[in-house]
Amino acid sequence: MDTWDILNSVYGALYQRVQILGRELAAAGYAARWSWYNLHATRRGDEYKMELFPIPVITVGRWCDVVLELDSICVDAHLSNEQARSFRWNRVIWPFELYGVEDYTEDLYRPGMSRDGLPELIKQYGGEIGVAFALPKDCGDDEVMAIVNACREWDTHVGVSET
């Protein structure tokens, strides 16, 4: 198999998945737009590595991005510092990470860490907080939709906060 065939097989699967998710989001009443983006930084083991290749990202309203990685799906959203400090993190049922929006390498929380001191840690950070829900690439679309619905309920946002 040559490089062209390999890339088409990898990107064909991503394209099909983004089309299906896009239709489901539209059917659920969401305004969703998607495109291909490169230069994402992704944790690989204990360090962040830059993705030079493009991946599809669906922006769902103003609430979140659904990022289709080669080996996972991530729902990513932002909260103001005030929102994040008062948020009930112990009630979140999906594995998540918290990071600093201004410096995405600022890991505030990763699975396995204690959630008890999160409000104080978030307050000390002072800036916008990113929350990322990493899912296996073969997760059900219903799970992705549940997280998107939660982001809307929590009034998360993507991009720069207007507050």
Side-chain angles (χ1 to χ4, degrees), residues 109-132:
Y109 173 82
R110 290 189 358 206
M113 296 170 70
S114 172
R115 298 181 188 185
D116 295 337
L118 278 177
E120 186 58 34
L121 187 60
I122 291 166
K123 183 178 180 180
Q124 287 174 7
Y125 177 72
E128 290 238 326
I129 302 300
V131 57

mmCIF file of all heavy atoms in Angstrom, residues 109-132:
data_model
loop_
_atom_site.group_PDB
_atom_site.id
_atom_site.type_symbol
_atom_site.label_atom_id
_atom_site.label_comp_id
_atom_site.label_asym_id
_atom_site.label_seq_id
_atom_site.Cartn_x
_atom_site.Cartn_y
_atom_site.Cartn_z
ATOM 1 N N TYR A 109 -5.692 19.479 36.576
ATOM 2 C CA TYR A 109 -6.268 18.218 37.037
ATOM 3 C C TYR A 109 -6.191 17.203 35.907
ATOM 4 O O TYR A 109 -6.465 17.521 34.750
ATOM 5 C CB TYR A 109 -7.738 18.390 37.459
ATOM 6 C CG TYR A 109 -8.387 17.074 37.778
ATOM 7 C CD1 TYR A 109 -8.207 16.478 39.023
ATOM 8 C CD2 TYR A 109 -9.116 16.387 36.824
ATOM 9 C CE1 TYR A 109 -8.766 15.238 39.309
ATOM 10 C CE2 TYR A 109 -9.685 15.152 37.094
ATOM 11 C CZ TYR A 109 -9.501 14.582 38.338
ATOM 12 O OH TYR A 109 -10.046 13.362 38.612
ATOM 13 N N ARG A 110 -5.815 15.999 36.285
ATOM 14 C CA ARG A 110 -5.853 14.847 35.376
ATOM 15 C C ARG A 110 -6.438 13.685 36.152
ATOM 16 O O ARG A 110 -6.361 13.639 37.384
ATOM 17 C CB ARG A 110 -4.439 14.488 34.896
ATOM 18 C CG ARG A 110 -3.898 15.526 33.965
ATOM 19 C CD ARG A 110 -2.609 15.195 33.274
ATOM 20 N NE ARG A 110 -1.974 13.945 33.582
ATOM 21 C CZ ARG A 110 -0.681 13.741 33.462
ATOM 22 N NH1 ARG A 110 0.103 14.697 33.049
ATOM 23 N NH2 ARG A 110 -0.165 12.575 33.736
ATOM 24 N N PRO A 111 -7.048 12.710 35.444
ATOM 25 C CA PRO A 111 -7.603 11.559 36.159
ATOM 26 C C PRO A 111 -6.560 10.931 37.084
ATOM 27 O O PRO A 111 -5.380 10.832 36.745
ATOM 28 C CB PRO A 111 -7.988 10.604 35.023
ATOM 29 C CG PRO A 111 -8.304 11.508 33.877
ATOM 30 C CD PRO A 111 -7.280 12.629 34.005
ATOM 31 N N GLY A 112 -7.023 10.589 38.274
ATOM 32 C CA GLY A 112 -6.137 10.014 39.279
ATOM 33 C C GLY A 112 -5.739 11.019 40.348
ATOM 34 O O GLY A 112 -5.319 10.636 41.438
ATOM 35 N N MET A 113 -5.843 12.300 40.036
ATOM 36 C CA MET A 113 -5.537 13.333 41.020
ATOM 37 C C MET A 113 -6.772 13.566 41.888
ATOM 38 O O MET A 113 -7.894 13.258 41.492
ATOM 39 C CB MET A 113 -5.144 14.641 40.315
ATOM 40 C CG MET A 113 -3.866 14.538 39.494
ATOM 41 S SD MET A 113 -3.563 15.999 38.450
ATOM 42 C CE MET A 113 -3.177 17.237 39.684
ATOM 43 N N SER A 114 -6.571 14.130 43.058
ATOM 44 C CA SER A 114 -7.694 14.458 43.938
ATOM 45 C C SER A 114 -8.430 15.682 43.400
ATOM 46 O O SER A 114 -7.810 16.643 42.963
ATOM 47 C CB SER A 114 -7.187 14.752 45.348
ATOM 48 O OG SER A 114 -8.245 15.243 46.144
ATOM 49 N N ARG A 115 -9.758 15.639 43.473
ATOM 50 C CA ARG A 115 -10.580 16.771 43.049
ATOM 51 C C ARG A 115 -10.847 17.737 44.206
ATOM 52 O O ARG A 115 -11.412 18.813 43.993
ATOM 53 C CB ARG A 115 -11.917 16.274 42.490
ATOM 54 C CG ARG A 115 -11.779 15.405 41.262
ATOM 55 C CD ARG A 115 -13.141 14.977 40.753
ATOM 56 N NE ARG A 115 -13.023 13.985 39.693
ATOM 57 C CZ ARG A 115 -14.051 13.513 39.004
ATOM 58 N NH1 ARG A 115 -15.267 13.928 39.255
ATOM 59 N NH2 ARG A 115 -13.853 12.621 38.062
ATOM 60 N N ASP A 116 -10.461 17.363 45.398
ATOM 61 C CA ASP A 116 -10.820 18.132 46.587
ATOM 62 C C ASP A 116 -10.317 19.572 46.570
ATOM 63 O O ASP A 116 -11.038 20.473 46.971
ATOM 64 C CB ASP A 116 -10.328 17.431 47.852
ATOM 65 C CG ASP A 116 -11.027 16.102 48.073
ATOM 66 O OD1 ASP A 116 -12.137 15.915 47.554
ATOM 67 O OD2 ASP A 116 -10.447 15.231 48.753
ATOM 68 N N GLY A 117 -9.109 19.813 46.139
ATOM 69 C CA GLY A 117 -8.550 21.164 46.185
ATOM 70 C C GLY A 117 -8.716 21.959 44.910
ATOM 71 O O GLY A 117 -8.083 23.004 44.746
ATOM 72 N N LEU A 118 -9.579 21.493 44.001
ATOM 73 C CA LEU A 118 -9.706 22.158 42.704
ATOM 74 C C LEU A 118 -10.123 23.633 42.795
ATOM 75 O O LEU A 118 -9.529 24.462 42.112
ATOM 76 C CB LEU A 118 -10.657 21.396 41.788
ATOM 77 C CG LEU A 118 -10.041 20.205 41.064
ATOM 78 C CD1 LEU A 118 -11.088 19.484 40.230
ATOM 79 C CD2 LEU A 118 -8.889 20.637 40.192
ATOM 80 N N PRO A 119 -11.117 24.010 43.593
ATOM 81 C CA PRO A 119 -11.481 25.432 43.626
ATOM 82 C C PRO A 119 -10.301 26.348 43.977
ATOM 83 O O PRO A 119 -10.107 27.384 43.336
ATOM 84 C CB PRO A 119 -12.584 25.498 44.686
ATOM 85 C CG PRO A 119 -13.193 24.132 44.649
ATOM 86 C CD PRO A 119 -12.027 23.201 44.400
ATOM 87 N N GLU A 120 -9.506 25.963 44.955
ATOM 88 C CA GLU A 120 -8.358 26.796 45.345
ATOM 89 C C GLU A 120 -7.285 26.801 44.258
ATOM 90 O O GLU A 120 -6.700 27.843 43.958
ATOM 91 C CB GLU A 120 -7.771 26.317 46.676
ATOM 92 C CG GLU A 120 -6.680 27.207 47.211
ATOM 93 C CD GLU A 120 -7.130 28.657 47.423
ATOM 94 O OE1 GLU A 120 -8.293 28.896 47.785
ATOM 95 O OE2 GLU A 120 -6.283 29.556 47.215
ATOM 96 N N LEU A 121 -7.019 25.665 43.663
ATOM 97 C CA LEU A 121 -6.035 25.573 42.579
ATOM 98 C C LEU A 121 -6.463 26.427 41.388
ATOM 99 O O LEU A 121 -5.654 27.145 40.792
ATOM 100 C CB LEU A 121 -5.860 24.114 42.157
ATOM 101 C CG LEU A 121 -4.776 23.796 41.156
ATOM 102 C CD1 LEU A 121 -3.404 24.206 41.677
ATOM 103 C CD2 LEU A 121 -4.788 22.304 40.835
ATOM 104 N N ILE A 122 -7.736 26.370 41.051
ATOM 105 C CA ILE A 122 -8.278 27.172 39.947
ATOM 106 C C ILE A 122 -8.166 28.659 40.279
ATOM 107 O O ILE A 122 -7.784 29.469 39.431
ATOM 108 C CB ILE A 122 -9.733 26.755 39.652
ATOM 109 C CG1 ILE A 122 -9.748 25.349 39.044
ATOM 110 C CG2 ILE A 122 -10.429 27.762 38.757
ATOM 111 C CD1 ILE A 122 -11.118 24.693 39.012
ATOM 112 N N LYS A 123 -8.489 29.016 41.519
ATOM 113 C CA LYS A 123 -8.377 30.420 41.949
ATOM 114 C C LYS A 123 -6.938 30.907 41.827
ATOM 115 O O LYS A 123 -6.683 32.008 41.333
ATOM 116 C CB LYS A 123 -8.870 30.570 43.389
ATOM 117 C CG LYS A 123 -8.859 31.989 43.896
ATOM 118 C CD LYS A 123 -9.401 32.062 45.301
ATOM 119 C CE LYS A 123 -9.381 33.493 45.796
ATOM 120 N NZ LYS A 123 -9.905 33.588 47.169
ATOM 121 N N GLN A 124 -5.979 30.090 42.258
ATOM 122 C CA GLN A 124 -4.570 30.468 42.163
ATOM 123 C C GLN A 124 -4.132 30.645 40.712
ATOM 124 O O GLN A 124 -3.352 31.536 40.411
ATOM 125 C CB GLN A 124 -3.684 29.424 42.839
ATOM 126 C CG GLN A 124 -3.755 29.434 44.332
ATOM 127 C CD GLN A 124 -2.971 28.293 44.959
ATOM 128 O OE1 GLN A 124 -2.266 27.556 44.282
ATOM 129 N NE2 GLN A 124 -3.117 28.142 46.265
ATOM 130 N N TYR A 125 -4.663 29.805 39.821
ATOM 131 C CA TYR A 125 -4.308 29.929 38.406
ATOM 132 C C TYR A 125 -4.790 31.278 37.862
ATOM 133 O O TYR A 125 -4.076 31.956 37.147
ATOM 134 C CB TYR A 125 -4.888 28.762 37.593
ATOM 135 C CG TYR A 125 -4.603 28.909 36.127
ATOM 136 C CD1 TYR A 125 -3.321 28.713 35.632
ATOM 137 C CD2 TYR A 125 -5.600 29.291 35.240
ATOM 138 C CE1 TYR A 125 -3.038 28.884 34.281
ATOM 139 C CE2 TYR A 125 -5.330 29.462 33.897
ATOM 140 C CZ TYR A 125 -4.053 29.251 33.426
ATOM 141 O OH TYR A 125 -3.779 29.433 32.091
ATOM 142 N N GLY A 126 -6.030 31.634 38.171
ATOM 143 C CA GLY A 126 -6.541 32.960 37.861
ATOM 144 C C GLY A 126 -7.126 33.166 36.477
ATOM 145 O O GLY A 126 -7.905 34.082 36.286
ATOM 146 N N GLY A 127 -6.783 32.370 35.499
ATOM 147 C CA GLY A 127 -7.270 32.583 34.138
ATOM 148 C C GLY A 127 -8.385 31.631 33.766
ATOM 149 O O GLY A 127 -8.910 30.892 34.606
ATOM 150 N N GLU A 128 -8.753 31.671 32.492
ATOM 151 C CA GLU A 128 -9.764 30.759 31.966
ATOM 152 C C GLU A 128 -9.299 29.322 32.112
ATOM 153 O O GLU A 128 -8.109 29.025 32.014
ATOM 154 C CB GLU A 128 -10.031 31.051 30.500
ATOM 155 C CG GLU A 128 -10.746 32.350 30.268
ATOM 156 C CD GLU A 128 -12.047 32.124 29.535
ATOM 157 O OE1 GLU A 128 -12.119 31.232 28.696
ATOM 158 O OE2 GLU A 128 -12.984 32.860 29.834
ATOM 159 N N ILE A 129 -10.270 28.440 32.300
ATOM 160 C CA ILE A 129 -9.976 27.027 32.513
ATOM 161 C C ILE A 129 -10.529 26.222 31.338
ATOM 162 O O ILE A 129 -11.686 26.402 30.941
ATOM 163 C CB ILE A 129 -10.624 26.526 33.830
ATOM 164 C CG1 ILE A 129 -10.130 27.359 35.022
ATOM 165 C CG2 ILE A 129 -10.376 25.039 34.034
ATOM 166 C CD1 ILE A 129 -8.636 27.333 35.251
ATOM 167 N N GLY A 130 -9.705 25.338 30.810
ATOM 168 C CA GLY A 130 -10.154 24.418 29.776
ATOM 169 C C GLY A 130 -10.485 23.083 30.410
ATOM 170 O O GLY A 130 -9.825 22.647 31.356
ATOM 171 N N VAL A 131 -11.530 22.462 29.902
ATOM 172 C CA VAL A 131 -11.890 21.117 30.346
ATOM 173 C C VAL A 131 -11.949 20.240 29.103
ATOM 174 O O VAL A 131 -12.531 20.623 28.091
ATOM 175 C CB VAL A 131 -13.217 21.098 31.146
ATOM 176 C CG1 VAL A 131 -14.366 21.671 30.349
ATOM 177 C CG2 VAL A 131 -13.553 19.697 31.642
ATOM 178 N N ALA A 132 -11.287 19.100 29.179
ATOM 179 C CA ALA A 132 -11.224 18.176 28.055
ATOM 180 C C ALA A 132 -11.700 16.805 28.502
ATOM 181 O O ALA A 132 -11.227 16.286 29.515
ATOM 182 C CB ALA A 132 -9.792 18.100 27.521
#
